Amino acid sequence: MFVFVCVGCGAELTNPLSRVALPAHAHQKYGNGTQLPVLMEPGTFAVDPEPWGPPWRRWEEIHPDEAVARGIYAPVHALSDGAPGSIVIAPGDVRGTLLIPERAGGYCCGLGGADGPNMACEECGLPVASRIDDCSLWQAVWLAPDAVRRLLVDGVGSAPLSWAELSEEGKCTPPFEPVARWGARLGPDHFWSWNPQWEAAVGRALAHLLAASEGRPVTVPDGLSKEVFQRALDALLPAYPPARRAVLAGPGQPAPDADADIVLVPTHPQTGETWTPAGPATTAYPVPVPFGVWRWLAFPKPHLPVPASGGMPDGVLRDDPPAPRPRYSFRADPGVFQHTLVRLPAVRSPWLREIPENLTQYMHAGLF
């Protein structure tokens, strides 16, 4: 575990924190005027290896060789010229900081971080972090990598959970949840929606599925996997055979068949490591899916219409009546999809490069 301190005066700025993988939805912008919860679990931090935040440069100002050196293989609107290695934590884990009033600008309902670091060290006044809590953004504090340093907390630490321990723990990310809106005039306002974390996770996985398709149709397993992936795959890929076959693979699942071309595999929530299959499927293209989403795809939890004999079984949580489903078809997050796809070398293929170039058209068609 670590604490982060100010590089200017050495004052402690955080609680002791343990490192986890950067969430797929870390930079997601969801909907319009929606109220998203805190991004990070208390007591954790994650590091974004790429530059993040202002200043920004438009794509026209960036030489193609520089873009490729940064791992960008297709045009984007703009790239950050900020320092790489920003550290994201939960707002409740911050200590010894003050807001900077002249940098407290936002987009709509809160702080957006567009003016640069908006939090300063209470001891010396050095700008050290950006508080983000505007509507449609995940609430978080991003520590500036050049303004803080990390100190090991002696005698405190634990090894990451094994895949078997993660499976036994059984944490899932449900596909539906209520999403609240800011500023409703008639009191609290919310609606049942596809989980924003699912939209981000599927957006990232969809980009990998397209790269793995080699320009051929792709099939995914029946059930929820088909509901969240197949509509977009059918619209974005040609219909002629032979199709490439994607299957779920991971801890607790049977070994993938030798004829599986693509495997949807979990990423470790602490290390970010991608689960690797054994046997013939080792040559299949691995598509990373956050563990909580992958676990629900692999081991779905259907609603029980009636309690089991003798009462509700231990560990079963059930709404009565069942939680309503969203009234619209699933749509992958377009921002996460584009962010992932332009960073895959396969996007340089003419047929695949056309997709991010016409993303707005696909959004109007309801695919994203």
Side-chain angles (χ1 to χ4, degrees):
M1 300 187 76
F2 303 88
V3 295
F4 289 87
V5 301
C6 173
V7 298
C9 65
E12 290 191 5
L13 302 176
T14 71
N15 290 332
L17 305 171
S18 59
R19 184 169 182 174
V20 298
L22 184 72
H25 53 286
H27 296 299
Q28 181 184 31
K29 179 174 171 53
Y30 183 80
N32 181 21
T34 53
Q35 183 180 3
L36 294 178
V38 173
L39 173 66
M40 301 297 295
E41 292 288 335
T44 66
F45 75 94
V47 178
D48 188 345
E50 295 193 22
W52 178 85
W56 298 87
R57 278 195 295 159
R58 296 179 62 85
W59 179 256
E60 294 78 11
E61 304 170 18
I62 300 168
H63 192 277
D65 291 343
E66 179 187 351
V68 171
R70 294 178 59 168
I72 313 294
Y73 302 100
V76 295
H77 176 67
L79 285 178
S80 170
D81 255 359
S86 294
I87 303 105
V88 62
I89 66 175
D93 282 324
V94 179
R95 296 292 181 267
T97 59
L98 298 170
L99 283 173
I100 305 173
E102 58 270 23
R103 294 188 180 180
Y107 298 107
C108 183
C109 303
L111 301 173
D115 301 328
N118 56 26
M119 301 178 71
C121 172
E122 188 175 12
E123 291 293 327
C124 69
L126 179 71
V128 293
S130 295
R131 172 75 159 98
I132 306 295
D133 58 14
D134 206 354
C135 58
S136 300
L137 302 176
W138 290 87
Q139 298 184 46
V141 168
W142 290 84
L143 300 173
D146 54 357
V148 300
R149 56 190 176 91
R150 185 170 62 185
L151 296 181
L152 181 66
V153 179
D154 292 335
V156 180
S158 59
L161 296 175
S162 67
W163 288 109
E165 290 169 332
L166 279 173
S167 300
E168 187 176 341
E169 198 177 65
K171 286 187 177 180
C172 292
T173 304
F176 318 119
E177 69 173 14
V179 174
R181 292 188 180 96
W182 280 108
R185 295 182 178 181
L186 301 178
D189 182 18
H190 70 272
F191 59 97
W192 277 91
S193 167
W194 288 95
N195 191 327
Q197 295 184 49
W198 273 67
E199 296 189 15
V202 171
R204 184 177 71 176
L206 181 60
H208 282 278
L209 283 168
L210 293 177
S213 72
E214 300 178 354
R216 294 158 51 187
V218 170
T219 63
V220 295
D222 290 335
L224 196 53
S225 297
K226 188 174 289 292
E227 185 172 3
V228 300
F229 286 114
Q230 199 66 63
R231 188 169 70 99
L233 289 171
D234 291 346
L236 297 173
L237 293 171
Y240 56 82
R244 288 174 66 80
R245 179 168 165 260
V247 301
L248 287 161
Q253 285 282 98
D257 298 334
D259 62 347
D261 303 294
I262 305 167
V263 285
L264 297 161
V265 294
T267 56
H268 197 288
Q270 294 171 300
T271 66
E273 171 194 357
T274 300
W275 187 85
T276 303
T282 54
T283 59
Y285 187 111
V287 172
V289 181
F291 182 81
V293 173
W294 176 88
R295 185 166 177 81
W296 195 290
L297 289 173
F299 306 100
K301 295 185 176 182
H303 175 81
L304 298 179
V306 294
S309 176
M312 191 69 70
D314 292 340
V316 174
L317 301 178
R318 182 175 67 94
D319 289 331
D320 194 10
R325 286 176 57 96
R327 298 179 181 179
Y328 57 91
S329 299
F330 182 87
R331 297 190 291 265
D333 186 278
V336 177
F337 169 78
Q338 182 187 42
H339 178 90
T340 304
L341 187 58
V342 300
R343 286 162 172 78
L344 299 177
V347 77
R348 291 178 290 192
S349 301
W351 73 269
L352 188 50
R353 185 163 179 150
E354 175 271 338
I355 294 175
E357 289 176 351
N358 294 288
L359 186 59
T360 301
Q361 174 185 335
Y362 293 121
M363 291 170 63
H364 289 160
L367 294 180
F368 297 95

